[in-house]
Amino acid sequence: MPPLYGGIEAGGTKFVCAVGHGPDALLDEVRIPTTTPEETLARVVAFFRPYGAELCAVGIASFGPVDVRPGSPTYGFITTTPKPGWAHTPIVHIVAEALNVPVGFDTDVNGAALGEHLWGAGRGLDAFLYLTVGTGIGGGGLVNGKRLHGLLHPEMGHMRLPHDRERDPFPGLCPFHGDCLEGLASGPAIEARWGRPPHTLPPDHPAWALEAEYLGIALANLTFVFSPQRLVVGGGVMQPPHLWPQVRAAFVRALGNYVDLPALGQHVEDYLVPPHLGPRAGVLGAIALAVEAARGDTSTA
Ligand code: ZN
């Protein structure tokens, strides 16, 4: 029998848990609403418990901020989240103790990046990034084949962008920065600016050109800073197909012909791509963290 892994995609509104051997062999999956840590994690543990000794590791890809620094006294904690009740939750400890298995742990976006690296759009690449644009904006990735950490972990959604207040008087809604990327371009920002949720806006609505502009600039910044070999962009806001050509065009404009490579010009549709693993990128990312934990590999960049 191939080894059996558990994945926990820990989100602010729901936890998605799955067991399986990999992307083509998921045996069971459950969605649990995020309530209190006690109630939610008890249901998570109850989902995995029947697999008992068959389960060789579990991965947790979590909303943040989280402590991912090995050796830190609060390693494996959800730390200062504004989500009520969840600050300072030792999520790794709780799951490891209840299930008695190795637990891999990272941010939701680093998890998704790792899943794409093992099975999706990042296969064979040493340096690539994953950005999700939805209720929030977050990014993760791998550099030199290792998950990107550092002082803590990247917070790409909070990068600052040029904000032309004549074109876009909306002040932004990030509680920390106002008009950072997440404050200007997340799903809730689009809804607050235009008074309607993104999925109800027609393709010719000016919301999309503005959205593409912000994302194009942000993605160009990421290319300049990290030099990824590919950029994967997921999340609910990226679902409409008409948005993709606009984002790619805005990205190429923002690069300003500075780097002369086909991937950043005529072949940009192979460079700026949706997740290969589709809507399952999140939970498969958690399973990818379990695969690494089972190998005893928690190495990070
Ligand atoms: Zn911010």
Side-chain angles (χ1 to χ4, degrees):
M1 275 290 287
L4 189 64
Y5 303 105
I8 303 169
E9 181 190 5
T13 55
K14 65 177 187 299
F15 275 48
V16 183
C17 302
V19 286
H21 308 292
D24 304 320
L26 289 185
L27 308 183
D28 196 7
E29 190 174 317
V30 69
R31 281 155 199 272
I32 296 167
T34 309
T35 56
T36 63
E38 294 73 24
E39 182 182 26
T40 311
L41 294 175
R43 291 185 65 186
V44 166
V45 166
F47 169 77
F48 289 109
R49 213 183 281 286
Y51 298 95
E54 280 179 78
L55 206 60
C56 66
V58 169
I60 304 174
S62 179
F63 69 99
V66 293
D67 189 342
V68 292
R69 299 166 298 171
S72 158
T74 53
Y75 171 81
F77 278 52
I78 293 171
T79 57
T80 53
T81 178
K83 174 105 186 134
W86 283 86
H88 313 295
T89 298
I91 185 168
V92 169
H93 180 79
I94 291 169
V95 171
E97 182 135 284
L99 297 173
N100 196 27
V101 287
V103 174
F105 183 56
D106 213 320
T107 61
D108 43 9
V109 278
N110 263 348
L114 183 65
E116 291 290 329
H117 183 65
L118 289 186
W119 303 306
R123 254 181 298 189
L125 303 180
D126 281 340
F128 88 105
L129 299 181
Y130 182 101
L131 190 77
T132 182
V133 186
T135 310
I137 298 183
L142 287 92
V143 170
N144 297 332
K146 293 177 188 288
R147 280 178 277 138
L148 194 53
H149 289 156
L151 182 64
L152 188 58
H153 49 73
E155 288 286 359
M156 297 178 192
H158 295 275
M159 76 170 83
R160 315 308 296 263
L161 302 172
H163 178 194
D164 176 352
R165 285 174 186 270
E166 273 181 34
R167 180 181 178 190
D168 176 25
F170 180 65
L173 47 60
C174 174
F176 300 94
H177 315 113
D179 61 353
C180 64
L181 173 62
E182 179 172 293
L184 289 173
S186 62
I190 298 172
E191 180 164 355
R193 181 188 290 108
W194 302 103
R196 290 165 64 181
H199 68 271
T200 68
L201 297 168
D204 59 353
H205 193 283
W208 297 116
L210 187 65
E211 181 70 10
E213 189 70 18
Y214 288 139
L215 294 178
I217 292 168
L219 292 162
N221 288 346
L222 292 175
T223 290
F224 286 138
V225 173
F226 292 100
S227 200
Q229 293 155 303
R230 186 167 289 145
L231 279 165
V232 178
V233 190
V237 170
M238 295 305 296
Q239 293 308 310
H242 63 80
L243 181 57
W244 280 88
Q246 295 184 75
V247 171
R248 289 188 181 114
F251 168 71
V252 170
R253 268 199 312 279
L255 292 170
N257 293 320
Y258 180 64
V259 185
D260 184 17
L261 286 172
L264 306 180
Q266 75 261 38
H267 294 155
V268 69
E269 69 281 357
D270 299 324
Y271 182 79
L272 203 59
V273 299
H276 224 81
L277 301 174
R280 282 190 155 158
V283 75
L284 287 171
I287 289 191
L289 291 168
V291 172
E292 281 210 346
R295 286 182 193 148
D297 180 4
T298 56
S299 58
T300 58

